[in-house]
Amino acid sequence: MDLSEFEADNSVSCRLASAIPDVCKTQDCCLGIDEAGRGPVLGPMVYGICFCPVSKKEDLKNLKLADSKTLTEEQREDLFLKLDEAKSFVGWALQILSPNTISTSMLQRSKYNLNALSHDAAIGLVQFVLDSGVQLKELFVDTVGPAAKYQEKLSQRFPGVEVTVCPKADSLFPIVSAASICAKVARDHAVKSWTFPEDMGELDTNYGSGYPNDPKTKAWLLKYLDPVFGYPQFVRFSWSTAQTLLDSKAVPVHWDDDEEDGEKAAARQNNTSMLSYFKASAQQSDSRTPHRFFTERRLQSLHTL
Amino acid sequence: MTSSNCGVTTLRLDSQTERASVHLLPCEIEYDGAAEVSQFFTATIKDRKHEKTVSFRGRGLKGQEVICPQGYSGLVLREVNKPGSDQEDRNVKVSSVFQKFTYWNLETLPNSDDGIVMAMAWPDLADAVSVLHFLQ
C-alpha cells in the first residue's frame, strides 16, 4: 500500500483510492465502511470503504475475508494483496485522519467531536464513490455508537441506497471485512513508517499498541513529554491520557476560551474580582485613563522597567 | 516618573546581537526560559498559499508575519541580575533583535482588527500628531 501522499504531509487529512473498476459504474454495487485506530492515543485514524458489484458478492466471499481484528498483521497484508488482485471488480478508498487533525478538531473553539468527525469522513468517502460514477445500491457500516441514529442519518443523506448499520458488521459482511482490512493495513503502515516532522533524534519507536492502557504506550508518553510543547503531532492531544499527563507534568497553558472560573482565573485575566471591592482601596493613582485607541491596541506608556 | 525605584535603567546592546525569529502566541504559557522552539514549533509550520498554520498543544493556529514599524526594532531583553532590593538599578541585556515576528491567532487568520496589527500603526500616527502639534 502506497501512503506517500499522506506521508508528504502527515499533519493533515488525506484521501487515497484505488482505481474505480469499470464494472462498478454499470452494475448495482454494495459498499462496506469500517474504521481502524479509533481508540489509540497515537497515530492516525483511518476510515476505509470497499465496494464491488452486488453480483460479485460470492467471489468476494471466496477470498476468505474476515474481521481485520481476528487476523494477524501478515494475514491482513496477504488479504490486501488479494483485494488488489481482484481490482477488476473491487475498489477501495481511504480517508486518513492525521492525529493533528483529530487533536485540532476535537479541541476546536466550537467542539467537533470524534463521532461527528468519523461520520463526516464516512459520508465524504461514500460521496466520493458516488461522484466517481459507482452505481451504489447497498451500504453496510460497522459502528461502535448507536446504530439506529447513524443508519437514519446515512439513509437521509443517500436516498435510494439501502443502508445497514450494525455492530460487528465487519465479521458479518465480507465487503465490510474488506473495508476493515484496507483501513487496518493503512493504519499499521502509517504508524510504522511515521516520519516525525519534529527532530526527535534517536527516537525510541517502542510505543506499543498506541492504546492508552498499554504500559509501553504510557512509558513512551512519559519519556517524550516536552514541558512546553507537550508532544510531537503524532500524539492525539485531545485524548484524556495525553491531557492528564500534560496537566501534571507540563507547564500550564491558558487560552482565552478556557472554561475556568474563580478568583485566580479572574486575577490572571486581569479582571476585577467582586472581592476586590471589599478590600481596603489601594492608593489611588492620579494618572488619567488612557484613550480607547491605546487600550484597544494594548499600548501603555512605560516610565520604568 | 511615578515611582522612585528603578529610575535608572541600563540597556546593553552588543554589536554581535543575535537576530531572533519571534512568535507571538494567542495563549499564556506559565513559563520563562529556554524551549525547544525549532524542534517542535518551527519544524511543523506549514506555509501554503500565504497561509501559515501550525498547532500548539493540539490547538490549531493561523499566522501572519508582522513587520516592525519603520525606524523601530523589536528587542528581546534578559535581566542580567535580579536586583536585591528596589533601591538597586535593574540591569537588562538585549539578547536578540528582530525586525519582524509571526503573530498567531487561534483558528482564525490574523486580520487588521487584531490589536497587535493595529498597534503597529501607532508610530506613524504619533509622528503625524507631533508634527501637527508643532505646526500649531
Side-chain angles (χ1 to χ4, degrees), chain A residues 14 23 27 34 44 73 76 101 131-132 149-150 153 175-176 184-185 188-189 192 203 209 222 237 245 261 264 291-292:
Chain A
C14 174
V23 67
Q27 292 188 27
D34 199 13
E73 194 172 338
R76 287 193 296 263
T101 303
D131 293 344
S132 308
K149 238 180 150 180
Y150 192 19
K153 185 175 173 178
I175 196 68
V176 184
K184 185 75 172 121
V185 168
D188 285 348
H189 279 227
K192 222 181 218 173
L203 181 80
S209 63
L222 269 173
F237 283 79
L245 281 170
D261 43 28
K264 208 176 157 194
H291 188 270
R292 189 162 58 87

PDB file of all heavy atoms in Angstrom, chain A residues 14 23 27 34 44 73 76 101 131-132 149-150 153 175-176 184-185 188-189 192 203 209 222 237 245 261 264 291-292:
ATOM      1  N   CYS A  14      -5.977  12.991   4.593  1.00  0.00           N
ATOM      2  CA  CYS A  14      -5.623  12.649   3.215  1.00  0.00           C
ATOM      3  C   CYS A  14      -6.526  11.541   2.684  1.00  0.00           C
ATOM      4  O   CYS A  14      -6.872  10.612   3.410  1.00  0.00           O
ATOM      5  CB  CYS A  14      -4.170  12.187   3.217  1.00  0.00           C
ATOM      6  SG  CYS A  14      -3.553  11.548   1.666  1.00  0.00           S
ATOM      7  N   VAL A  23     -16.685  -2.044 -14.080  1.00  0.00           N
ATOM      8  CA  VAL A  23     -17.905  -2.799 -13.849  1.00  0.00           C
ATOM      9  C   VAL A  23     -18.777  -2.154 -12.755  1.00  0.00           C
ATOM     10  O   VAL A  23     -20.003  -2.274 -12.764  1.00  0.00           O
ATOM     11  CB  VAL A  23     -17.558  -4.287 -13.533  1.00  0.00           C
ATOM     12  CG1 VAL A  23     -16.823  -4.404 -12.197  1.00  0.00           C
ATOM     13  CG2 VAL A  23     -18.775  -5.173 -13.554  1.00  0.00           C
ATOM     14  N   GLN A  27     -22.930  -1.698 -13.017  1.00  0.00           N
ATOM     15  CA  GLN A  27     -23.744  -2.647 -12.247  1.00  0.00           C
ATOM     16  C   GLN A  27     -24.040  -2.129 -10.850  1.00  0.00           C
ATOM     17  O   GLN A  27     -23.252  -1.356 -10.290  1.00  0.00           O
ATOM     18  CB  GLN A  27     -23.004  -3.989 -12.123  1.00  0.00           C
ATOM     19  CG  GLN A  27     -22.872  -4.721 -13.433  1.00  0.00           C
ATOM     20  CD  GLN A  27     -22.323  -6.125 -13.214  1.00  0.00           C
ATOM     21  OE1 GLN A  27     -22.497  -6.716 -12.145  1.00  0.00           O
ATOM     22  NE2 GLN A  27     -21.676  -6.649 -14.222  1.00  0.00           N
ATOM     23  N   ASP A  34     -15.622   0.711   7.314  1.00  0.00           N
ATOM     24  CA  ASP A  34     -15.116   0.413   8.657  1.00  0.00           C
ATOM     25  C   ASP A  34     -13.962   1.355   8.980  1.00  0.00           C
ATOM     26  O   ASP A  34     -13.434   2.033   8.098  1.00  0.00           O
ATOM     27  CB  ASP A  34     -14.669  -1.046   8.757  1.00  0.00           C
ATOM     28  CG  ASP A  34     -14.580  -1.513  10.216  1.00  0.00           C
ATOM     29  OD1 ASP A  34     -15.097  -0.806  11.107  1.00  0.00           O
ATOM     30  OD2 ASP A  34     -13.992  -2.584  10.459  1.00  0.00           O
ATOM     31  N   PRO A  44      -2.694   8.083  13.273  1.00  0.00           N
ATOM     32  CA  PRO A  44      -3.926   8.477  12.595  1.00  0.00           C
ATOM     33  C   PRO A  44      -5.083   7.509  12.820  1.00  0.00           C
ATOM     34  O   PRO A  44      -4.881   6.380  13.258  1.00  0.00           O
ATOM     35  CB  PRO A  44      -3.522   8.465  11.120  1.00  0.00           C
ATOM     36  CG  PRO A  44      -2.452   7.446  11.024  1.00  0.00           C
ATOM     37  CD  PRO A  44      -1.709   7.491  12.329  1.00  0.00           C
ATOM     38  N   GLU A  73      -1.164  -9.432  11.430  1.00  0.00           N
ATOM     39  CA  GLU A  73      -0.741  -8.382  10.515  1.00  0.00           C
ATOM     40  C   GLU A  73      -0.388  -8.985   9.144  1.00  0.00           C
ATOM     41  O   GLU A  73      -0.743  -8.431   8.105  1.00  0.00           O
ATOM     42  CB  GLU A  73       0.468  -7.654  11.106  1.00  0.00           C
ATOM     43  CG  GLU A  73       0.769  -6.361  10.401  1.00  0.00           C
ATOM     44  CD  GLU A  73       1.848  -5.543  11.104  1.00  0.00           C
ATOM     45  OE1 GLU A  73       2.066  -5.746  12.306  1.00  0.00           O
ATOM     46  OE2 GLU A  73       2.450  -4.705  10.413  1.00  0.00           O
ATOM     47  N   ARG A  76      -3.428  -9.923   7.158  1.00  0.00           N
ATOM     48  CA  ARG A  76      -4.092  -8.733   6.599  1.00  0.00           C
ATOM     49  C   ARG A  76      -3.365  -8.254   5.348  1.00  0.00           C
ATOM     50  O   ARG A  76      -3.989  -7.886   4.363  1.00  0.00           O
ATOM     51  CB  ARG A  76      -4.125  -7.614   7.647  1.00  0.00           C
ATOM     52  CG  ARG A  76      -5.119  -7.852   8.760  1.00  0.00           C
ATOM     53  CD  ARG A  76      -5.347  -6.603   9.571  1.00  0.00           C
ATOM     54  NE  ARG A  76      -4.150  -6.145  10.275  1.00  0.00           N
ATOM     55  CZ  ARG A  76      -3.888  -6.416  11.553  1.00  0.00           C
ATOM     56  NH1 ARG A  76      -4.738  -7.131  12.261  1.00  0.00           N
ATOM     57  NH2 ARG A  76      -2.797  -5.970  12.122  1.00  0.00           N
ATOM     58  N   THR A 101      -5.065  16.418  12.907  1.00  0.00           N
ATOM     59  CA  THR A 101      -6.439  16.783  12.534  1.00  0.00           C
ATOM     60  C   THR A 101      -7.391  16.419  13.680  1.00  0.00           C
ATOM     61  O   THR A 101      -8.284  17.199  14.017  1.00  0.00           O
ATOM     62  CB  THR A 101      -6.874  16.007  11.266  1.00  0.00           C
ATOM     63  OG1 THR A 101      -5.957  16.280  10.218  1.00  0.00           O
ATOM     64  CG2 THR A 101      -8.279  16.374  10.837  1.00  0.00           C
ATOM     65  N   ASP A 131     -19.665  10.230  -6.720  1.00  0.00           N
ATOM     66  CA  ASP A 131     -19.190  11.208  -7.702  1.00  0.00           C
ATOM     67  C   ASP A 131     -18.346  10.550  -8.792  1.00  0.00           C
ATOM     68  O   ASP A 131     -18.235  11.066  -9.900  1.00  0.00           O
ATOM     69  CB  ASP A 131     -18.360  12.302  -7.020  1.00  0.00           C
ATOM     70  CG  ASP A 131     -19.202  13.176  -6.101  1.00  0.00           C
ATOM     71  OD1 ASP A 131     -20.445  13.125  -6.231  1.00  0.00           O
ATOM     72  OD2 ASP A 131     -18.624  13.892  -5.252  1.00  0.00           O
ATOM     73  N   SER A 132     -17.717   9.423  -8.437  1.00  0.00           N
ATOM     74  CA  SER A 132     -16.894   8.713  -9.428  1.00  0.00           C
ATOM     75  C   SER A 132     -17.733   7.839 -10.355  1.00  0.00           C
ATOM     76  O   SER A 132     -17.178   7.154 -11.202  1.00  0.00           O
ATOM     77  CB  SER A 132     -15.856   7.839  -8.718  1.00  0.00           C
ATOM     78  OG  SER A 132     -15.138   8.585  -7.784  1.00  0.00           O
ATOM     79  N   LYS A 149     -29.576   5.647  14.920  1.00  0.00           N
ATOM     80  CA  LYS A 149     -29.476   7.068  14.592  1.00  0.00           C
ATOM     81  C   LYS A 149     -28.566   7.287  13.384  1.00  0.00           C
ATOM     82  O   LYS A 149     -28.853   8.087  12.501  1.00  0.00           O
ATOM     83  CB  LYS A 149     -28.896   7.816  15.796  1.00  0.00           C
ATOM     84  CG  LYS A 149     -29.796   8.917  16.332  1.00  0.00           C
ATOM     85  CD  LYS A 149     -29.119   9.581  17.496  1.00  0.00           C
ATOM     86  CE  LYS A 149     -29.522  11.023  17.621  1.00  0.00           C
ATOM     87  NZ  LYS A 149     -28.848  11.663  18.763  1.00  0.00           N
ATOM     88  N   TYR A 150     -27.463   6.547  13.391  1.00  0.00           N
ATOM     89  CA  TYR A 150     -26.479   6.669  12.324  1.00  0.00           C
ATOM     90  C   TYR A 150     -27.085   6.171  11.010  1.00  0.00           C
ATOM     91  O   TYR A 150     -26.902   6.772   9.948  1.00  0.00           O
ATOM     92  CB  TYR A 150     -25.239   5.861  12.716  1.00  0.00           C
ATOM     93  CG  TYR A 150     -24.008   6.094  11.860  1.00  0.00           C
ATOM     94  CD1 TYR A 150     -23.861   7.224  11.064  1.00  0.00           C
ATOM     95  CD2 TYR A 150     -22.964   5.175  11.874  1.00  0.00           C
ATOM     96  CE1 TYR A 150     -22.732   7.419  10.301  1.00  0.00           C
ATOM     97  CE2 TYR A 150     -21.814   5.357  11.117  1.00  0.00           C
ATOM     98  CZ  TYR A 150     -21.714   6.485  10.329  1.00  0.00           C
ATOM     99  OH  TYR A 150     -20.584   6.666   9.572  1.00  0.00           O
ATOM    100  N   LYS A 153     -29.337   8.767   9.634  1.00  0.00           N
ATOM    101  CA  LYS A 153     -28.555   9.869   9.083  1.00  0.00           C
ATOM    102  C   LYS A 153     -28.044   9.528   7.683  1.00  0.00           C
ATOM    103  O   LYS A 153     -28.158  10.328   6.743  1.00  0.00           O
ATOM    104  CB  LYS A 153     -27.373  10.148  10.026  1.00  0.00           C
ATOM    105  CG  LYS A 153     -26.523  11.352   9.668  1.00  0.00           C
ATOM    106  CD  LYS A 153     -25.462  11.586  10.760  1.00  0.00           C
ATOM    107  CE  LYS A 153     -24.473  12.669  10.377  1.00  0.00           C
ATOM    108  NZ  LYS A 153     -23.483  12.936  11.451  1.00  0.00           N
ATOM    109  N   ILE A 175     -17.898  -7.522   2.519  1.00  0.00           N
ATOM    110  CA  ILE A 175     -17.500  -6.223   1.963  1.00  0.00           C
ATOM    111  C   ILE A 175     -17.029  -5.277   3.075  1.00  0.00           C
ATOM    112  O   ILE A 175     -16.154  -4.434   2.859  1.00  0.00           O
ATOM    113  CB  ILE A 175     -18.648  -5.593   1.103  1.00  0.00           C
ATOM    114  CG1 ILE A 175     -18.114  -4.470   0.207  1.00  0.00           C
ATOM    115  CG2 ILE A 175     -19.799  -5.078   1.951  1.00  0.00           C
ATOM    116  CD1 ILE A 175     -17.197  -4.909  -0.908  1.00  0.00           C
ATOM    117  N   VAL A 176     -17.602  -5.458   4.292  1.00  0.00           N
ATOM    118  CA  VAL A 176     -17.146  -4.653   5.438  1.00  0.00           C
ATOM    119  C   VAL A 176     -15.810  -5.192   5.955  1.00  0.00           C
ATOM    120  O   VAL A 176     -14.918  -4.414   6.321  1.00  0.00           O
ATOM    121  CB  VAL A 176     -18.206  -4.606   6.569  1.00  0.00           C
ATOM    122  CG1 VAL A 176     -17.746  -3.697   7.706  1.00  0.00           C
ATOM    123  CG2 VAL A 176     -19.542  -4.118   6.031  1.00  0.00           C
ATOM    124  N   LYS A 184      -7.153  -1.049   8.294  1.00  0.00           N
ATOM    125  CA  LYS A 184      -6.173  -1.506   9.279  1.00  0.00           C
ATOM    126  C   LYS A 184      -4.767  -1.561   8.678  1.00  0.00           C
ATOM    127  O   LYS A 184      -3.791  -1.183   9.334  1.00  0.00           O
ATOM    128  CB  LYS A 184      -6.600  -2.876   9.823  1.00  0.00           C
ATOM    129  CG  LYS A 184      -5.738  -3.416  10.943  1.00  0.00           C
ATOM    130  CD  LYS A 184      -6.006  -2.718  12.273  1.00  0.00           C
ATOM    131  CE  LYS A 184      -5.261  -3.426  13.408  1.00  0.00           C
ATOM    132  NZ  LYS A 184      -4.323  -2.541  14.109  1.00  0.00           N
ATOM    133  N   VAL A 185      -4.657  -2.022   7.431  1.00  0.00           N
ATOM    134  CA  VAL A 185      -3.351  -2.087   6.774  1.00  0.00           C
ATOM    135  C   VAL A 185      -2.770  -0.664   6.655  1.00  0.00           C
ATOM    136  O   VAL A 185      -1.597  -0.427   6.958  1.00  0.00           O
ATOM    137  CB  VAL A 185      -3.446  -2.776   5.385  1.00  0.00           C
ATOM    138  CG1 VAL A 185      -2.165  -2.577   4.582  1.00  0.00           C
ATOM    139  CG2 VAL A 185      -3.720  -4.269   5.563  1.00  0.00           C
ATOM    140  N   ASP A 188      -1.657   0.584  10.135  1.00  0.00           N
ATOM    141  CA  ASP A 188      -0.409  -0.055  10.558  1.00  0.00           C
ATOM    142  C   ASP A 188       0.793   0.527   9.815  1.00  0.00           C
ATOM    143  O   ASP A 188       1.811   0.827  10.426  1.00  0.00           O
ATOM    144  CB  ASP A 188      -0.462  -1.574  10.317  1.00  0.00           C
ATOM    145  CG  ASP A 188      -1.346  -2.276  11.341  1.00  0.00           C
ATOM    146  OD1 ASP A 188      -1.719  -1.633  12.346  1.00  0.00           O
ATOM    147  OD2 ASP A 188      -1.671  -3.462  11.132  1.00  0.00           O
ATOM    148  N   HIS A 189       0.635   0.700   8.509  1.00  0.00           N
ATOM    149  CA  HIS A 189       1.730   1.263   7.720  1.00  0.00           C
ATOM    150  C   HIS A 189       2.048   2.684   8.170  1.00  0.00           C
ATOM    151  O   HIS A 189       3.208   3.050   8.309  1.00  0.00           O
ATOM    152  CB  HIS A 189       1.364   1.286   6.228  1.00  0.00           C
ATOM    153  CG  HIS A 189       1.562  -0.038   5.561  1.00  0.00           C
ATOM    154  ND1 HIS A 189       2.203  -0.175   4.351  1.00  0.00           N
ATOM    155  CD2 HIS A 189       1.194  -1.287   5.933  1.00  0.00           C
ATOM    156  CE1 HIS A 189       2.222  -1.453   4.016  1.00  0.00           C
ATOM    157  NE2 HIS A 189       1.611  -2.142   4.958  1.00  0.00           N
ATOM    158  N   LYS A 192       3.852   2.623  11.530  1.00  0.00           N
ATOM    159  CA  LYS A 192       5.178   2.034  11.428  1.00  0.00           C
ATOM    160  C   LYS A 192       6.163   2.977  10.738  1.00  0.00           C
ATOM    161  O   LYS A 192       7.318   3.083  11.137  1.00  0.00           O
ATOM    162  CB  LYS A 192       5.078   0.740  10.611  1.00  0.00           C
ATOM    163  CG  LYS A 192       5.903  -0.388  11.201  1.00  0.00           C
ATOM    164  CD  LYS A 192       5.768  -1.600  10.317  1.00  0.00           C
ATOM    165  CE  LYS A 192       5.694  -2.869  11.131  1.00  0.00           C
ATOM    166  NZ  LYS A 192       5.398  -4.018  10.275  1.00  0.00           N
ATOM    167  N   LEU A 203      15.096   8.263  18.080  1.00  0.00           N
ATOM    168  CA  LEU A 203      13.769   8.050  18.641  1.00  0.00           C
ATOM    169  C   LEU A 203      13.526   6.588  19.001  1.00  0.00           C
ATOM    170  O   LEU A 203      13.831   5.683  18.235  1.00  0.00           O
ATOM    171  CB  LEU A 203      12.725   8.517  17.627  1.00  0.00           C
ATOM    172  CG  LEU A 203      11.276   8.384  18.084  1.00  0.00           C
ATOM    173  CD1 LEU A 203      10.888   9.529  18.991  1.00  0.00           C
ATOM    174  CD2 LEU A 203      10.347   8.332  16.885  1.00  0.00           C
ATOM    175  N   SER A 209       1.050  -0.661  21.390  1.00  0.00           N
ATOM    176  CA  SER A 209      -0.121  -0.679  20.521  1.00  0.00           C
ATOM    177  C   SER A 209      -0.670   0.715  20.265  1.00  0.00           C
ATOM    178  O   SER A 209      -1.441   0.919  19.343  1.00  0.00           O
ATOM    179  CB  SER A 209      -1.218  -1.513  21.175  1.00  0.00           C
ATOM    180  OG  SER A 209      -1.606  -0.904  22.399  1.00  0.00           O
ATOM    181  N   LEU A 222       5.418   9.243  28.643  1.00  0.00           N
ATOM    182  CA  LEU A 222       6.146   9.889  29.738  1.00  0.00           C
ATOM    183  C   LEU A 222       7.533  10.317  29.271  1.00  0.00           C
ATOM    184  O   LEU A 222       7.994  11.404  29.584  1.00  0.00           O
ATOM    185  CB  LEU A 222       6.291   8.928  30.914  1.00  0.00           C
ATOM    186  CG  LEU A 222       5.180   8.975  31.953  1.00  0.00           C
ATOM    187  CD1 LEU A 222       5.369   7.863  32.969  1.00  0.00           C
ATOM    188  CD2 LEU A 222       5.152  10.332  32.652  1.00  0.00           C
ATOM    189  N   PHE A 237      -3.593  15.020  21.213  1.00  0.00           N
ATOM    190  CA  PHE A 237      -3.652  15.850  22.421  1.00  0.00           C
ATOM    191  C   PHE A 237      -5.025  15.822  23.065  1.00  0.00           C
ATOM    192  O   PHE A 237      -5.179  16.102  24.239  1.00  0.00           O
ATOM    193  CB  PHE A 237      -3.300  17.301  22.076  1.00  0.00           C
ATOM    194  CG  PHE A 237      -1.836  17.566  21.877  1.00  0.00           C
ATOM    195  CD1 PHE A 237      -1.215  17.235  20.689  1.00  0.00           C
ATOM    196  CD2 PHE A 237      -1.080  18.153  22.883  1.00  0.00           C
ATOM    197  CE1 PHE A 237       0.143  17.487  20.498  1.00  0.00           C
ATOM    198  CE2 PHE A 237       0.278  18.416  22.704  1.00  0.00           C
ATOM    199  CZ  PHE A 237       0.885  18.085  21.514  1.00  0.00           C
ATOM    200  N   LEU A 245      -1.574  13.694  31.507  1.00  0.00           N
ATOM    201  CA  LEU A 245      -0.119  13.777  31.645  1.00  0.00           C
ATOM    202  C   LEU A 245       0.361  15.221  31.510  1.00  0.00           C
ATOM    203  O   LEU A 245       1.216  15.671  32.265  1.00  0.00           O
ATOM    204  CB  LEU A 245       0.559  12.897  30.593  1.00  0.00           C
ATOM    205  CG  LEU A 245       0.602  11.404  30.913  1.00  0.00           C
ATOM    206  CD1 LEU A 245       1.060  10.603  29.701  1.00  0.00           C
ATOM    207  CD2 LEU A 245       1.531  11.138  32.097  1.00  0.00           C
ATOM    208  N   ASP A 261     -13.068  29.310  36.053  1.00  0.00           N
ATOM    209  CA  ASP A 261     -13.629  30.444  36.762  1.00  0.00           C
ATOM    210  C   ASP A 261     -12.930  30.556  38.107  1.00  0.00           C
ATOM    211  O   ASP A 261     -11.920  29.922  38.356  1.00  0.00           O
ATOM    212  CB  ASP A 261     -15.150  30.311  36.916  1.00  0.00           C
ATOM    213  CG  ASP A 261     -15.551  28.904  37.295  1.00  0.00           C
ATOM    214  OD1 ASP A 261     -14.714  28.206  37.935  1.00  0.00           O
ATOM    215  OD2 ASP A 261     -16.654  28.492  36.957  1.00  0.00           O
ATOM    216  N   LYS A 264      -8.843  33.205  41.003  1.00  0.00           N
ATOM    217  CA  LYS A 264      -7.499  33.097  40.462  1.00  0.00           C
ATOM    218  C   LYS A 264      -7.500  33.377  38.946  1.00  0.00           C
ATOM    219  O   LYS A 264      -6.674  34.125  38.438  1.00  0.00           O
ATOM    220  CB  LYS A 264      -6.968  31.685  40.724  1.00  0.00           C
ATOM    221  CG  LYS A 264      -5.464  31.647  40.845  1.00  0.00           C
ATOM    222  CD  LYS A 264      -5.015  30.246  41.188  1.00  0.00           C
ATOM    223  CE  LYS A 264      -3.568  30.051  40.772  1.00  0.00           C
ATOM    224  NZ  LYS A 264      -3.178  28.656  40.776  1.00  0.00           N
ATOM    225  N   HIS A 291      -6.783  56.825  26.447  1.00  0.00           N
ATOM    226  CA  HIS A 291      -7.831  56.808  25.426  1.00  0.00           C
ATOM    227  C   HIS A 291      -8.049  55.390  24.924  1.00  0.00           C
ATOM    228  O   HIS A 291      -7.136  54.564  24.942  1.00  0.00           O
ATOM    229  CB  HIS A 291      -7.420  57.727  24.265  1.00  0.00           C
ATOM    230  CG  HIS A 291      -8.502  57.927  23.252  1.00  0.00           C
ATOM    231  ND1 HIS A 291      -8.647  57.095  22.168  1.00  0.00           N
ATOM    232  CD2 HIS A 291      -9.492  58.839  23.178  1.00  0.00           C
ATOM    233  CE1 HIS A 291      -9.687  57.493  21.453  1.00  0.00           C
ATOM    234  NE2 HIS A 291     -10.218  58.561  22.052  1.00  0.00           N
ATOM    235  N   ARG A 292      -9.268  55.134  24.465  1.00  0.00           N
ATOM    236  CA  ARG A 292      -9.655  53.832  23.941  1.00  0.00           C
ATOM    237  C   ARG A 292      -8.691  53.359  22.835  1.00  0.00           C
ATOM    238  O   ARG A 292      -8.421  52.181  22.681  1.00  0.00           O
ATOM    239  CB  ARG A 292     -11.078  53.963  23.385  1.00  0.00           C
ATOM    240  CG  ARG A 292     -11.766  52.693  22.972  1.00  0.00           C
ATOM    241  CD  ARG A 292     -13.271  52.949  22.888  1.00  0.00           C
ATOM    242  NE  ARG A 292     -13.576  54.034  21.947  1.00  0.00           N
ATOM    243  CZ  ARG A 292     -13.762  53.857  20.633  1.00  0.00           C
ATOM    244  NH1 ARG A 292     -13.669  52.657  20.122  1.00  0.00           N
ATOM    245  NH2 ARG A 292     -14.039  54.857  19.834  1.00  0.00           N
TER     246      ARG A 292
END
